[in-house]
């Protein structure tokens, strides 16, 4: 009997030693993604057969295999045949508009869900330009951590600033600042002549106050004249396309002189009229993998389709799309800095998918795939003053997408996502 116990104890001891799980000592110090094409987001030619070294959530080396030395205890991940691009940045999003299945309105839970959805589509940073309200700012606090994350990085503008007088509007700015927002957002638009436009006196006061707080101001606009006046008043970001007419040299000069970026939001226009029939993308598996069937059924309802066909505003925005596309090409050719943004997150503007659709439209406008990638990465980050993201360069957060197909051959290949990484951690998809 005693011998049996000995045998069992010995056997258990042997088992414990031989099956020991890797401890912290054996966990890799770094990850090396080796053998793929690396598009670093700067606009430089891709590095073929490259190495992307990631350590502590950040890029620790990028280059050819000869350039980058791998530290001891590095886990190597083979990327042969694949392409790496930086995580995409949506500079004009919205969160917390609630879908039918999220009766639980305006909760942190909703917000986390939506940021996770963006992340699964490779949108690793989301800038919410307004109406994110109280819940947005506290969650945003967690932005710069290296802990495992399953959602996009997040920046907010708080309440869109309005007011009947400069004093009233400035008070909204101050309330936003107290809440801890990253940007200030205003609208200067009459909604195709149906509402009154924010007067110059008020937006000037809002812009000045934002700058006193060292915050950039993003402006919703529609008309060429308003865009010019906003730039003269000091606005830092044009959050939509000019859509009433073709842009002119005065606007181009103002944009360049003031170093202001232009965010086309072409899919915003699309969303106003595209559901007058069943859109082509309703067959795209990349769309369907996340789409909600109840929402899709509602959008296919013939009565609703007829309403859109009959809607004057929908049809006006439909006619505005070619103007927006032409303006994007003119501004891009004139070396104005373009920042990818969609205005997604409002109902019928699908978070995550619309960013890929936006890039397809930017290509339709005439931008090259490389120009589009830069607009969605390096320039998007630079336009909004986010220095730690946007490119795959040493010291930046390791936010990137691994693609099966080459996006330089066709921008639609940004949909061939193999995996998404944020802060050096893989996103569950
Ligand atoms: Zn918007």
């Amino acid at each position: 009997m005693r011998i049996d116990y000995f045998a069992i104890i010995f056997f258990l001891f042997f088992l414990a030693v031989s099956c020991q799980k890797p401890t912290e000592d054996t966990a890799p110090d770094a990850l090396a993604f080796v053998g793929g094409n690396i598009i670093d987001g700067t606009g430089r030619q891709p590095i073929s057969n490259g190495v992307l070294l990631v350590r502590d959530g950040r890029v620790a080396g990028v280059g050819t295999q000869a350039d980058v030395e791998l530290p001891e205890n590095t886990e190597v991940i083979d990327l042969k045949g694949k392409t790496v691009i930086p995580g995409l940045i949506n500079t004009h999003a919205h969160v917390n508009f609630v879908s039918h299945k999220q009766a639980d309105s305006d909760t942190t839970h909703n917000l986390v869900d939506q940021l996770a959805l963006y992340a699964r589509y490779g949108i690793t940073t989301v800038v919410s330009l307004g109406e994110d309200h109280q819940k947005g700012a506290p969650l945003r606090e967690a932005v710069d951590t290296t802990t495992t994350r399953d959602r996009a990085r997040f920046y907010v503008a708080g309440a869109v600033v309005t007011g009947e007088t400069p004093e009233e509007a400035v008070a909204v700015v101050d309330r936003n600042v107290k809440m801890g927002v990253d940007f200030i957002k205003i609208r200067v638009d009459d909604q195709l002549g149906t509402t009154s436009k924010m007067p110059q006196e008020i937006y000037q006061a809002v812009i000045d106050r934002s700058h006193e707080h060292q915050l950039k101001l993003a402006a919703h606009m529609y008309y060429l004249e308003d865009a010019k006046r906003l730039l003269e008043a000091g606005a830092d970001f044009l959050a939509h396309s000019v859509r009433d007419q073709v842009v002119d040299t005065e606007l181009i000069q103002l944009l360049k002189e003031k170093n202001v970026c232009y965010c086309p939001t072409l899919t915003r226009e699309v969303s106003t009229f595209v559901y007058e029939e069943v859109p082509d993308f309703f067959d795209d598996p990349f769309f369907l993998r996340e789409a909600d069937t109840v929402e899709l059924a509602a959008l296919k309802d013939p009565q609703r389709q007829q309403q859109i066909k009959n809607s004057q505003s929908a049809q006006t925005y439909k006619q505005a799309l070619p103007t927006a596309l032409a303006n994007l090409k003119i501004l891009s050719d004139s070396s104005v800095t373009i920042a990818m943004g969609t205005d997604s997150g409002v109902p019928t503007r699908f978070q995550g998918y619309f960013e890929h659709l936006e890039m397809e439209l930017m290509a339709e406008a005439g931008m090259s795939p490389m120009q589009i990638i830069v607009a969605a990465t390096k320039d998007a980050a630079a336009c909004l003053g986010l220095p730690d993201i946007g490119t795959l360069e040493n010291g930046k957060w390791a936010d990137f997408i691994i693609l099966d197909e080459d996006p330089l051959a066709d921008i639609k290949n940004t949909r061939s996502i193999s995996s998404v990484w944020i802060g050096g951690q893989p996103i569950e998809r």
Side-chain angles (χ1 to χ4, degrees):
M1 259 332 215
R2 207 181 297 157
I3 289 170
D4 281 352
Y5 278 125
F6 263 121
I8 290 165
I9 287 164
F10 180 78
F11 176 71
L12 287 176
F13 177 74
F14 173 77
L15 208 66
V17 170
S18 61
C19 296
Q20 216 172 26
K21 282 218 174 108
T23 62
E24 270 142 320
D25 296 336
T26 57
D29 294 334
L31 295 176
F33 298 83
V34 175
N37 288 330
I38 300 172
I39 298 170
D40 66 9
T42 63
R44 284 193 286 265
Q45 281 307 301
I47 304 158
S48 57
N49 196 10
V51 179
L52 173 66
L53 184 67
V54 174
R55 193 170 203 163
D56 299 328
R58 293 189 185 253
V59 176
V62 60
T64 64
Q65 300 202 31
D67 294 339
V68 182
E69 204 180 314
L70 303 190
E72 237 176 271
N73 199 18
T74 295
E75 184 183 336
V76 172
I77 297 162
D78 180 27
L79 291 193
K80 208 157 157 219
K82 301 201 188 286
T83 301
V84 184
I85 61 172
L88 302 169
I89 300 169
N90 182 6
T91 63
H92 185 162
H94 293 281
V95 290
N96 260 349
F97 285 88
V98 175
S99 76
H100 75 96
K101 53 177 183 181
Q102 296 171 317
D104 198 12
S105 117
D106 199 38
T107 63
T108 306
H109 184 242
N110 268 343
L111 185 51
V112 170
D113 270 3
Q114 295 178 20
L115 294 174
L117 174 62
Y118 275 119
R120 292 196 293 277
Y121 273 107
I123 320 305
T124 56
T125 298
V126 169
V127 176
S128 170
L129 285 188
E131 312 299 7
D132 34 73
H133 289 268
Q134 302 89 332
K135 301 290 178 184
L139 194 73
R140 194 264 287 106
E141 298 294 309
V143 144
D144 277 342
T145 64
T146 48
T147 55
T148 307
R149 52 173 62 249
D150 52 3
R151 56 178 172 79
R153 297 179 195 281
F154 181 50
Y155 297 88
V156 296
V160 174
V161 176
T162 56
E164 292 300 314
T165 64
E167 293 72 27
E168 255 180 56
V170 161
V172 181
V173 175
D174 292 349
R175 274 207 300 281
N176 275 341
V177 169
K178 222 176 236 171
M179 206 165 72
V181 301
D182 307 285
F183 307 98
I184 299 293
K185 163 83 177 288
I186 54 170
R187 286 199 189 94
V188 177
D189 193 5
D190 63 4
Q191 309 290 334
L192 304 177
T194 61
T195 60
S196 65
K197 211 183 273 182
M198 178 183 268
Q200 193 163 358
E201 176 198 21
I202 296 184
Y203 67 70
Q204 185 68 65
V206 172
I207 291 170
D208 292 345
R209 187 61 148 217
S210 305
H211 291 172
E212 279 170 34
H213 289 295
Q214 266 85 49
L215 290 178
K216 285 179 185 281
L217 179 126
H220 164 115
M221 34 37 85
Y222 178 88
Y223 301 97
L224 177 63
E225 279 312 307
D226 290 332
K228 290 179 188 173
R229 301 294 87 82
L230 279 160
L231 290 169
E232 283 166 353
D236 303 287
F237 191 75
L238 294 186
H240 289 290
S241 285
V242 168
R243 289 158 281 171
D244 64 318
Q245 56 179 297
V246 174
V247 293
D248 59 11
T249 49
E250 192 191 352
L251 181 81
I252 294 167
Q253 269 164 12
L254 276 168
L255 279 162
K256 291 173 79 168
E257 205 175 280
K258 310 246 174 197
N259 199 19
V260 168
C261 304
Y262 180 89
C263 177
T265 65
L266 302 165
T267 41
R268 184 249 165 237
E269 254 45 54
V270 169
S271 74
T272 60
F273 66 83
V274 76
Y275 306 110
E276 65 186 6
E277 54 190 24
V278 177
D280 290 345
F281 64 81
F282 274 23
D283 291 330
D284 183 352
F286 188 64
F287 170 70
L288 292 172
R289 72 196 299 273
E290 299 281 1
D292 174 60
T293 46
V294 177
E295 218 171 332
L296 290 193
L299 288 172
K300 287 182 194 165
D301 174 21
Q303 215 175 337
R304 187 190 165 118
Q305 291 176 338
Q306 195 56 47
Q307 273 169 10
I308 296 169
K309 275 186 201 135
N310 296 342
S311 156
Q312 211 189 332
S313 73
Q315 296 309 317
T316 306
Y317 288 130
K318 186 178 186 176
Q319 283 164 17
L321 180 61
T323 308
L325 289 164
N327 284 342
L328 175 56
K329 175 65 173 160
I330 293 168
L331 295 174
S332 170
D333 285 351
S334 309
S335 305
V336 167
T337 309
I338 309 298
M340 192 273 285
T342 57
D343 215 355
S344 68
V346 176
T348 79
R349 297 181 204 155
F350 293 90
Q351 291 164 322
Y353 185 77
F354 261 38
E355 286 64 40
H356 294 269
L357 200 58
E358 181 78 23
M359 293 191 290
E360 185 184 346
L361 285 163
M362 291 164 89
E364 212 173 282
M367 289 176 75
S368 72
M370 186 60 103
Q371 286 177 319
I372 296 166
I373 290 169
V374 171
T377 58
K378 176 189 136 215
D379 284 348
C383 288
L384 293 170
L386 306 172
D388 279 350
I389 56 170
T391 60
L392 298 174
E393 294 177 292
N394 279 352
K396 304 257 181 178
W397 285 118
D399 296 358
F400 57 94
I401 314 174
I402 298 172
L403 302 171
D404 290 327
E405 310 289 336
D406 178 9
L408 297 181
D410 180 351
I411 197 66
K412 283 175 80 173
N413 289 340
T414 56
R415 299 171 195 198
S416 67
I417 297 176
S418 167
S419 59
V420 178
W421 300 69
I422 298 180
Q425 303 278 347
I427 295 296
E428 212 173 294
R429 299 177 70 243

